[in-house]
Amino acid sequence: MILITGGAGYIGSHCAIDFIKSGYDVVILDNLSVGHIEIIERLKDFAKNHNEEQKGSLVDFINADINDTYALNVLFNTYKIDAVIHFAADALVNESVINPRKYYENNVIGSINLLNSMIDNNVKKIVFSSTCATYGEPEYVPIDEKHVQKPVNPYGNTKLAMEFAIKDYAKAYGLKYTIFRYFNVIGADSEGVTGEWHNIETHLVPNILKADENKVFKLFGDNYETKDGTCIRDYIDVCDLARAHTLAYEYLKENTSTIINLGTGEGQSVKEIFSAVEKTLDTKIPLEVCERREGDPAKLIAKPMLAKEVLGWEANTPLEKSVKNAKEWEKTLKTLQNNKKPVQNTKNWGALI
């Protein structure tokens, strides 16, 4: 069984779908602080209906926090976990600057709790969700895995701290790992099971889509040294990203640890993404150009060759399809938000001992 922490969130839920499609049973651990119980229910339904000729994959859910060491130990004693896919983390850069305590408590202390429980229960494989934010201001692009790591915010610092911790645990305790450094993730599941659902939406594509609802889209900076003056980023479809995690788990069964960038190797500017959304919607979107945000590099583009060499993986979803899937998900999201359910605990830990 595969344990997915943060599996009720954006990337984690897409990863769960890919494991389900590959025939694996999954258990999701999520405290639902940013994830949603509705997504868990949709994942369970998807697993049940995915392959009618066969039994289908099992999806179980534990409503708990990675800082709850008791819950972690009960979980590892209840389920036979073969590997952990670790997404549970806070990930808002601006918030990390304002409230670094929250980020170190969750992203570092909580993740150390998870590693300790893994080692104590002889679970020795982990795929870790890191970030290109560990590189900081790029010295060159495209960015390869050997680029110096100098984060410029607490969020990046916490992810880099966990990269060091995982490598140290690997040396001392025989842990095997794949560390993925993500670039900018976009899109949604093509079957409409899940997509972006953030309480505070900071991602580009959903914010442009929401601007279509008579809200002005704010473009931060149009005077960068780029082809059209706006920031250039490497936008990778979330389903492509999810597939890499299943491949990484299968790779770890027989191979050694590795650190890999996940991106397309190509860059699109904010204006190009904005135009792609307008084209998909077939409408003009209100736009306001604002001052640059402090710390935004002009270009962040991955060099993704190692992913292809090691995992046989490469991004293959066209930008237009990513935007179209995100648009369709926004329709589903409105219905889910209108019928939002109160969260209830789904496990009585005392009963599992």
Side-chain angles (χ1 to χ4, degrees):
M1 178 170 275
I2 307 298
L3 169 60
I4 302 177
T5 69
Y10 176 41
I11 300 176
S13 60
H14 286 85
C15 184
I17 288 175
D18 204 83
F19 273 99
I20 292 166
K21 287 181 177 178
S22 299
Y24 293 103
D25 292 335
V26 301
V27 56
I28 293 170
L29 175 74
D30 199 301
N31 66 5
L32 299 180
S33 61
V34 294
H36 303 275
I37 192 64
E38 291 83 357
I39 297 298
I40 297 296
E41 293 172 352
R42 293 170 73 84
L43 290 174
K44 288 184 175 182
D45 289 341
F46 175 78
K48 186 184 301 182
N49 300 325
H50 176 61
N51 191 337
E52 295 181 356
E53 289 82 21
Q54 299 180 13
K55 181 180 178 182
S57 298
L58 167 71
V59 176
D60 209 346
F61 173 60
I62 307 300
N63 181 2
D65 193 283
I66 55 175
N67 270 305
D68 186 343
T69 56
Y70 176 73
L72 288 174
N73 286 320
V74 173
L75 185 154
F76 280 107
N77 278 283
T78 303
Y79 298 92
K80 184 175 176 55
I81 303 299
D82 188 55
V84 176
I85 318 298
H86 182 32
F87 296 101
D90 291 309
L92 298 177
V93 170
N94 291 339
E95 183 187 47
S96 78
V97 175
I98 297 168
N99 189 9
R101 175 177 178 173
K102 176 183 178 182
Y103 280 69
Y104 280 92
E105 286 180 345
N106 188 28
N107 296 6
V108 178
I109 297 174
S111 295
I112 293 295
N113 289 334
L114 177 65
L115 289 181
N116 289 342
S117 292
M118 288 176 62
I119 298 305
D120 290 346
N121 291 279
N122 198 36
V123 178
K124 297 294 184 69
K125 293 188 285 291
I126 185 169
V127 180
F128 177 62
S129 165
S130 190
T131 170
C132 65
T134 64
Y135 295 122
E137 294 284 346
E139 296 182 357
Y140 56 85
V141 291
I143 300 169
D144 59 24
E145 290 82 359
K146 296 180 181 179
H147 189 288
V148 64
Q149 291 177 280
K150 293 182 179 178
V152 295
N153 53 64
Y155 167 64
N157 287 334
T158 60
K159 287 294 189 175
L160 182 56
M162 283 313 304
E163 287 194 20
F164 281 117
I166 289 169
K167 288 185 279 189
D168 287 339
Y169 272 57
K171 291 178 182 177
Y173 308 118
L175 188 69
K176 293 175 67 176
Y177 62 83
T178 297
I179 293 172
F180 282 134
R181 295 175 186 154
Y182 304 160
F183 283 68
N184 290 58
V185 187
I186 62 171
D189 169 53
S190 60
E191 297 182 54
V193 177
T194 185
E196 295 202 58
W197 185 357
H198 301 120
N199 297 326
I200 301 174
E201 188 54 75
T202 62
H203 290 178
L204 179 61
V205 171
N207 270 325
I208 300 174
L209 289 168
K210 294 179 194 310
D212 182 50
E213 302 169 355
N214 298 316
K215 298 176 184 177
V216 176
F217 173 72
K218 294 184 177 182
L219 190 158
F220 293 97
D222 64 351
N223 59 349
Y224 288 91
E225 293 183 3
T226 60
K227 54 189 174 183
D228 61 18
T230 62
C231 289
I232 292 176
R233 295 292 184 266
D234 189 332
Y235 294 95
I236 175 175
D237 188 85
V238 66
C239 297
D240 290 340
L241 188 88
R243 189 177 74 254
H245 293 73
T246 308
L247 293 173
Y249 162 66
E250 292 172 347
Y251 175 85
L252 284 178
K253 291 179 183 179
E254 304 293 338
N255 297 282
T256 58
S257 300
T258 187
I259 299 173
I260 295 176
N261 286 339
L262 288 181
T264 67
E266 299 178 359
Q268 285 89 27
S269 72
V270 174
K271 282 185 177 179
E272 286 174 329
I273 299 295
F274 184 83
S275 296
V277 175
E278 282 191 323
K279 182 178 180 181
T280 299
L281 295 175
D282 193 24
T283 188
K284 299 298 288 184
I285 299 172
L287 175 67
E288 177 187 354
V289 178
C290 305
E291 292 295 320
R292 292 187 188 189
R293 292 180 299 196
E294 185 177 353
D296 270 353
K299 295 181 181 180
L300 286 175
I301 302 173
K303 187 174 183 178
M305 296 306 298
L306 190 61
K308 186 174 182 179
E309 293 170 5
V310 173
L311 301 178
W313 174 94
E314 57 185 333
N316 56 26
T317 303
L319 174 63
E320 294 75 15
K321 183 176 180 181
S322 297
V323 172
K324 181 179 179 181
N325 289 341
K327 172 194 171 185
E328 293 303 313
W329 168 251
E330 286 292 320
K331 299 175 184 177
T332 302
L333 179 57
K334 288 180 183 178
T335 301
L336 292 174
Q337 289 173 324
N338 290 336
N339 296 284
K340 180 70 178 171
K341 298 178 181 178
V343 175
Q344 297 179 341
N345 287 330
T346 58
K347 287 291 183 184
N348 179 350
W349 290 112
L352 293 177
I353 299 176

